[in-house]
């Protein structure tokens, strides 16, 4: 049977989709290639969020298709993920020779595409995500078109939703993701995700529960529930929390109810997280759930994007810096030792030195544990793409570096506070830098490097005394 390899770009949702896709391919009889060079089938799971990410995937695809002339004549090359949706059929002009292209949530149909591609077919296109259940019939999601020809429908109404995880090989890692909310309705001015991932759709809690159970059965101990704007879970039109699922904790909002349900029903999952957050979703009830449900980790990724109220307004983020800081205050008061991380965009159109300085100030006041900084990249079809991209690349780079230097100092201070304390660490495996040591994570999602005790296994919960801190890493001794 043919072997496959999947190359993943982009966010955690793509990581999860790749994982689920690998399981589907194994169930269809394909095997994991030892490396990409020897695979019969190479899939590129792509991201469209910045131009760079697209360039990388296109470069990779071009190289793979070219390798058919250098000793790999039968190589199947498939594109999946967000870029597939953005480029649609146009991708075959950009990447001649591509075997197929399939959008996010087209997962269930991919094994059939791989089989046909192995038989020599090229240029197949399987769109996704499907339109919403409430938006009328799924006109495009259940059939592929190969230059005009329809093939048999890969999914039927009775089948599991396209992204539900089928049974799998044992999980090699103690952490895993489960998508609870597809798509995004927020339409921040700069962002292409709503175009490529479709409209918001919350999954049924019972379906999510089954998927978390399946992960736990594979040895997963840390589950992160995913949504682009995860606090919108269950808040969209048409969703109703099932009447027969009670809330002993008295929660009334869907996300706290879901956290409570999963924590109660799947005790093997020692740690529960959810991402990405939004300041308007930080309700008193959610803060209470984070404090009172022991499995829920004291950690939140809360993208701020900018500290300038003017830029935030232009970005259509729905909050100003005061509202953002208020969410941070609620979290810090309500959840002891919480770690808060963020995303920032530098060089949004019209971002002045003053706007940028505001971002530095607000980041300092928020006291982030970590920050991911991105240089603004205009995305075709988004509202801000109509504005002039007037901050030079050199200036974007400078602002990026300034924020990273600020964050390094801040991260060092945040991590210094852990020195001398004993923390619970979920062991992951040998450290990337030094294989004689192991690394794991705290509930705050901080990486801890330690000397492994005898017979340590991935997924063990260890008590580690922290002895030293770097901006991104803690070092400790198992006690
Ligand atoms: N759904 C998440 C973010 C998904 S994209 C959220 O809203 O929190 C991850 C990050 O990429 C965003 O938080 C943002 O900081 C960055 N990003 C999105 N679009 C971008 C663009 N056009 N240019 C640069 N960075 C962008
Ligand atoms: Fe993009 Fe905004 Fe949705 Fe996040 S919330 S995915 S930044 S549109
Ligand atoms: Fe990229 Fe798609 Fe995620 S555009 S950031 S892989 S949702």
């Amino acid at each position: 049977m043919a072997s496959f390899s999947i190359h993943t770009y982009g966010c955690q949702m793509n990581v999860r989709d790749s994982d689920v896709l690998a399981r589907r391919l194994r169930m269809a009889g394909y095997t994991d290639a030892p490396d990409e060079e020897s695979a019969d089938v190479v899939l590129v799971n792509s991201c469209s969020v910045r131009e760079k990410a697209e360039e990388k995937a296109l470069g990779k695809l071009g190289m793979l298709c070219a390798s058919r002339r250098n000793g790999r004549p039968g190589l199947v090359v498939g594109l999946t993920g967000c870029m597939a949706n953005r480029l649609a059929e146009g991708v075959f002009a950009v990447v001649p020779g591509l075997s197929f292209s399939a959008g996010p949530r087209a997962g269930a149909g991919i094994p059939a595409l791989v089989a046909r591609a192995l038989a020599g077919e090229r240029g197949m296109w399987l769109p996704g995500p499907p339109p919403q259940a409430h938006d009328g019939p799924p006109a495009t999601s259940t059939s592929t078109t190969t230059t005009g020809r329809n093939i048999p429908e890969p999914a039927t109404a009775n089948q599991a939703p396209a992204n539900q995880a089928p049974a799998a090989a044992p999980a090699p890692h103690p952490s895993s993701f489960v998508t609870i909310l597809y798509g995004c309705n927020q339409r921040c001015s700069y962002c292409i995700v709503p175009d490529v991932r479709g409209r918001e759709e919350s999954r049924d809690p019972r379906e999510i529960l089954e998927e978390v159970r399946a992960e736990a059965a594979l040895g997963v101990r840390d589950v992160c529930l995913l949504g682009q704007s995860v606090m919108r879970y269950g808040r969209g039109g048409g969703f109703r929390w099932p009447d027969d699922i009670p809330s002993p904790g008295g929660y009334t909002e869907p996300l706290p109810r879901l956290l409570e349900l999963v924590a109660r029903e799947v005790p093997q999952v020692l740690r529960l997280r959810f991402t990405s957050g939004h300041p308007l979703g930080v309700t008193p009830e959610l803060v209470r759930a984070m404090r009172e449900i022991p499995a829920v980790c004291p950690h939140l990724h809360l993208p701020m994007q900018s500290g300038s109220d003017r830029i935030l307004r232009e970005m259509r983020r729905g909050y100003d810096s005061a509202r953002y800081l208020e969410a941070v205050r609620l979290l810090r008061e309500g959840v002891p030792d919480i770690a808060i991380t963020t995303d920032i965009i530098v060089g949004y159109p019209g971002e002045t030195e003053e706007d940028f300085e505001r971002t530095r100030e607000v980041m300092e006041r928020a006291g982030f544990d970590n920050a991911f900084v991105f240089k603004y990249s205009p995305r075709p079809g988004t509202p801000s793409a109509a504005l002039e991209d007037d901050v030079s690349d050199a200036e974007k780079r400078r602002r990026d570096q300034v924020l990273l230097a600020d964050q390094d100092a801040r991260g060092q201070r945040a991590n210094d506070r852990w020195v001398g304390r004993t923390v619970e660490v979920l062991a992951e495996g040998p450290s990337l830098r030094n294989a004689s040591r192991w690394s794991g994570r705290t509930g705050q999602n901080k990486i801890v490097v330690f000397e492994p005790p005898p017979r340590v296994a991935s997924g063990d919960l260890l008590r580690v005394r922290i002895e030293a801190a770097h901006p991104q890493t803690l070092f400790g001794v198992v006690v």
Side-chain angles (χ1 to χ4, degrees):
M1 200 65 176
S3 68
F4 69 92
S5 170
I6 306 177
H7 196 89
T8 308
Y9 297 97
C11 65
Q12 293 149 322
M13 212 166 268
N14 260 18
V15 172
R16 176 61 179 171
D17 290 349
S18 289
D19 227 33
V20 172
L21 179 56
R23 294 177 194 188
R24 285 187 194 289
L25 291 169
R26 286 181 203 122
M27 282 193 358
Y30 299 101
T31 57
D32 291 84
D35 50 52
E36 196 175 291
E37 285 65 42
S38 60
D40 302 310
V41 177
V42 180
L43 304 180
V44 174
N45 194 7
S46 62
C47 171
S48 287
V49 81
R50 282 169 292 277
E51 197 180 358
K52 269 250 165 58
E54 291 205 337
E55 283 167 359
K56 280 191 206 158
L58 288 176
K60 181 103 198 158
L61 290 167
M63 217 184 59
L64 287 165
C65 289
S67 73
R68 290 194 186 118
R69 291 191 299 271
N70 310 314
R72 301 174 84 184
L75 182 68
V76 168
V77 182
L79 173 66
T80 64
C82 295
M83 244 176 105
N85 263 2
R86 195 180 80 72
L87 298 175
E89 284 102 325
V91 73
F92 301 111
V94 185
V95 189
L98 189 63
S99 307
F100 66 84
S101 182
R105 299 191 66 189
I110 292 178
L113 289 183
V114 168
R116 291 171 50 188
L118 282 165
E121 233 176 295
R122 291 202 185 151
M124 294 172 278
W125 157 233
L126 179 60
Q132 300 307 282
H134 314 285
D135 286 358
T140 54
S141 66
T142 54
S143 65
T144 43
T145 27
T146 309
T147 45
R149 274 181 299 132
N150 278 341
I151 58 164
E153 301 203 336
T156 67
N158 290 333
Q159 269 179 340
N163 263 22
Q164 193 173 337
H173 199 273
S175 312
S176 178
F177 304 110
V178 169
T179 301
I180 66 170
L181 179 74
Y182 300 126
C184 184
N185 287 0
Q186 305 268 56
R187 294 229 157 257
C188 304
S189 64
Y190 50 82
C191 185
I192 199 152
V193 171
D195 296 321
V196 292
R197 287 267 171 181
R199 293 186 59 75
E200 244 173 50
E201 184 186 336
S202 297
R203 293 180 66 191
D204 186 280
R206 289 160 293 208
E207 197 182 288
I208 295 167
L209 189 58
E210 283 324 301
E211 199 168 310
V212 176
R213 273 208 186 99
E215 293 297 308
L218 296 171
V220 168
R221 297 291 169 260
D222 178 323
V223 170
C224 183
L225 304 177
L226 297 178
Q228 291 299 339
S229 197
V230 75
M231 292 159 179
R232 293 276 314 151
Y233 175 74
R235 291 175 178 278
F239 180 92
R240 246 200 98 187
W241 185 267
D243 289 333
D244 57 346
I245 305 180
S247 170
Y251 297 108
T252 60
E253 297 171 7
L255 183 57
R257 293 188 89 157
L258 181 69
L259 292 167
E260 181 190 45
L261 175 72
V262 172
R264 183 178 72 229
E265 295 292 325
V266 199
Q268 302 93 317
V269 170
L270 307 172
R271 289 180 173 176
L272 260 183
R273 310 172 192 277
F274 48 96
T275 201
S276 290
H278 188 283
L280 299 187
V282 179
T283 61
E285 193 174 294
L286 183 65
V287 172
R288 176 165 76 87
M290 292 182 79
R291 181 179 60 242
E292 291 181 356
I293 303 171
V296 177
C297 289
H299 163 225
L300 189 62
H301 186 63
L302 195 65
M304 180 169 93
Q305 312 300 3
S306 170
S308 154
D309 292 341
R310 189 180 68 82
I311 296 290
L312 284 170
R313 202 163 45 241
E314 300 238 331
M315 287 178 164
R316 308 183 190 169
R317 287 289 293 176
Y319 55 85
D320 59 11
S321 57
R323 185 69 189 73
Y324 185 90
L325 288 169
E326 174 60 14
V328 169
R329 189 187 63 80
L330 273 173
L331 287 162
R332 293 210 188 281
E333 274 179 19
V335 187
D337 285 330
I338 190 170
I340 302 176
T341 56
T342 203
D343 289 344
I344 303 288
I345 296 175
V346 290
Y348 185 82
E351 185 187 67
T352 63
E353 191 57 30
E354 267 167 78
D355 293 319
F356 174 65
E357 285 301 323
R358 273 300 286 159
T359 297
R360 292 184 70 186
E361 246 171 76
V362 182
M363 285 180 80
E364 187 57 33
R365 287 177 63 192
F368 294 120
D369 287 82
N370 202 356
F372 301 87
V373 182
F374 303 104
K375 287 177 279 182
Y376 171 73
S377 167
R379 307 311 295 131
T382 60
S384 69
L387 305 171
E388 193 195 341
D389 182 14
D390 58 356
V391 180
S392 72
D393 201 54
E395 181 58 18
K396 284 177 188 166
R397 223 174 313 132
R398 187 191 70 84
R399 291 179 189 178
D400 177 29
Q401 279 159 9
V402 169
L403 294 190
L404 289 180
D406 285 357
Q407 185 54 47
D408 245 25
R410 195 180 299 120
Q412 181 71 57
R413 270 181 277 129
N415 280 355
D416 281 343
R417 287 197 282 273
W418 289 95
V419 175
R421 292 177 67 178
T422 297
V423 296
E424 278 195 329
V425 173
L426 188 71
E428 288 179 1
S431 150
L432 288 179
R433 290 245 176 99
N434 174 353
S436 73
R437 298 208 231 163
W438 270 48
S439 71
R441 276 165 208 271
T442 69
Q444 284 78 9
N445 213 31
K446 292 188 183 283
I447 296 169
V448 181
V449 173
F450 54 90
E451 297 286 339
R455 286 185 305 280
V456 67
S458 169
D460 286 355
L461 209 50
L462 306 171
R463 296 188 48 80
V464 177
R465 194 177 60 249
I466 303 302
E467 310 224 297
H470 284 181
Q472 311 257 15
T473 318
L474 300 170
F475 299 86
V477 175
V478 177
V479 297

